[in-house]
Amino acid sequence: MQIYRARITKIGNSKGIRIPKELVSTLNCTEVMLEKTDNGILIKPAFEIPPLKEWGKLFSKVDKTDEDDFKDWEVTLNDGLDD
């Protein structure tokens, strides 16, 4: 495991760090997620959001079979409670 050290610098009204090229090339992404943990900040690759024009193709691949887990929700439609 390689450990790198980075200095926190001022970037406009924010603060930031520069990530060494060797680390960025292993991430294979252009955006990252920052997660605050008990031990510090975890930096991990962000999932890519496809362009809007590709969403229809992705939604067509969604499994449309009924799921038994959601049949219990139908009971709440006739519970007598108003919205």
Side-chain angles (χ1 to χ4, degrees), residues 51-62:
L52 188 58
K53 63 183 178 182
E54 295 180 15
W55 288 17
K57 183 171 54 174
L58 293 172
F59 288 136
S60 69
K61 296 178 182 177
V62 173

Side-chain angles (χ1 to χ4, degrees), residues 3 13 17 21 25 27 29 35 37 40 52 57 60 69 72 74 78 80-81:
I3 297 177
N13 291 331
I17 62 168
K21 184 178 179 180
S25 63
L27 292 178
C29 68
E35 182 179 330
T37 68
L52 188 58
K57 183 171 54 174
S60 69
D69 294 344
D72 293 338
E74 294 174 3
N78 300 318
L81 299 175

